[in-house]
Amino acid sequence: MKRNPVIPYAIIAVLGILAMIILAVVGLDQQEKIELAHENGGEQTDAEPREPEAIAQSCIGCHGTDLAGGGSAPSLQDVGNKYTQEEILDIIKNGIPGTSMPSMVPTISNEEAEVLASWLAENNK
């Protein structure tokens, strides 16, 4: 008895359609969270702020693993001697025009930026 060769293709097609529907629903949920975060000024509403050391992990790509400076960025180990907490916060939020320092607010929340600025100003003198 011969099997119908269309059945395996039909099963694959149905599974593909189901996968697309599931991914679309998940994507819509993520889109709503992103839009809500933008409405709140970049604040992450569903997560508590992390510890400063954990937040600083977003800096190690340019400033080095121990924040001692990297190929494209200066050391942050004594940044508290150079800048006030408010100046550091401004740099974190707005970046430094004309340099490779970007605004970090898309990466971290405003509250986390304040925690990081305070930590850098106090602990890195």
Side-chain angles (χ1 to χ4, degrees), residues 41 43 86-96 101-106 108-114 117:
E43 293 286 334
E86 291 78 23
E87 291 171 325
I88 295 170
L89 179 62
D90 182 60
I91 291 170
I92 292 170
K93 285 185 172 183
N94 302 314
I96 302 175
M101 176 63 194
S103 169
M104 295 304 295
V105 173
I108 62 175
S109 71
N110 287 329
E111 188 176 34
E112 288 176 334
E114 292 175 12

Side-chain angles (χ1 to χ4, degrees), residues 52-110:
E53 294 85 359
I55 300 168
Q57 293 299 306
S58 60
C59 306
I60 64 173
C62 297
H63 293 281
T65 55
D66 57 356
L67 302 179
S72 65
S75 171
L76 296 180
Q77 290 182 341
D78 62 346
V79 73
N81 290 330
K82 297 177 186 174
Y83 300 105
T84 66
Q85 180 177 340
E86 291 78 23
E87 291 171 325
I88 295 170
L89 179 62
D90 182 60
I91 291 170
I92 292 170
K93 285 185 172 183
N94 302 314
I96 302 175
T99 69
S100 61
M101 176 63 194
S103 169
M104 295 304 295
V105 173
T107 307
I108 62 175
S109 71
N110 287 329

Side-chain angles (χ1 to χ4, degrees), residues 67 76-81 116 119-125:
L67 302 179
L76 296 180
Q77 290 182 341
D78 62 346
V79 73
N81 290 330
L116 182 61
W119 180 73
L120 286 171
E122 295 300 319
N123 295 327
N124 292 306
K125 288 187 175 185

Side-chain angles (χ1 to χ4, degrees), residues 5-85:
V6 176
I7 292 177
Y9 293 109
I11 292 173
I12 292 171
V14 168
L15 290 175
I17 291 169
L18 287 174
M20 288 185 344
I21 291 170
I22 291 170
L23 290 174
V25 170
V26 170
L28 287 174
D29 184 47
Q30 293 295 320
Q31 181 181 1
E32 290 171 2
K33 286 182 182 179
I34 292 169
E35 288 173 356
L36 182 60
H38 284 293
E39 289 172 4
N40 292 329
E43 293 286 334
Q44 295 176 355
T45 57
D46 60 346
E48 291 185 23
R50 301 173 283 167
E51 294 296 318
E53 294 85 359
I55 300 168
Q57 293 299 306
S58 60
C59 306
I60 64 173
C62 297
H63 293 281
T65 55
D66 57 356
L67 302 179
S72 65
S75 171
L76 296 180
Q77 290 182 341
D78 62 346
V79 73
N81 290 330
K82 297 177 186 174
Y83 300 105
T84 66
Q85 180 177 340

